[in-house]
Amino acid sequence: MPPLAQLSQLAASFTAIGFIGILTNAVAAHALRRWLQQPSRARLCNRLFGGALVGMGASMLQG
C-alpha cells in the first residue's frame, strides 16, 4: 500500500476514534450534570475526588 494511502487511512481512523471519544464524554457529562444537580450528590462526589487526589499525593510522597 502506498505511503499516502496509509497516512490517509491512519488520519481517518484517528479522527473517527477521537470523535467517538469526545462524543462519549459529552453524553456522560450530560448524564452526570442531571445526577449532580442534587447538592448531597455533588458533595459526595467532591469528597470522593478530593480523597482520591489526597491519596495520589500521599503515594507520590512515598516515592
Side-chain angles (χ1 to χ4, degrees):
M1 184 180 264
L4 185 58
Q6 289 180 3
L7 183 62
S8 298
Q9 193 174 22
L10 180 64
S13 62
F14 181 78
T15 302
I17 290 170
F19 178 75
I20 290 169
I22 291 170
L23 183 64
T24 302
N25 283 342
V27 169
H30 182 69
L32 275 176
R33 180 178 175 254
R34 284 195 229 152
W35 190 77
L36 286 173
Q37 282 181 341
Q38 284 187 332
S40 61
R41 289 178 180 169
R43 188 171 31 256
L44 172 66
C45 194
N46 284 338
R47 288 180 180 166
L48 287 174
F49 287 125
L53 288 172
V54 169
M56 284 187 276
S59 71
M60 289 174 66
L61 281 175
Q62 290 180 349

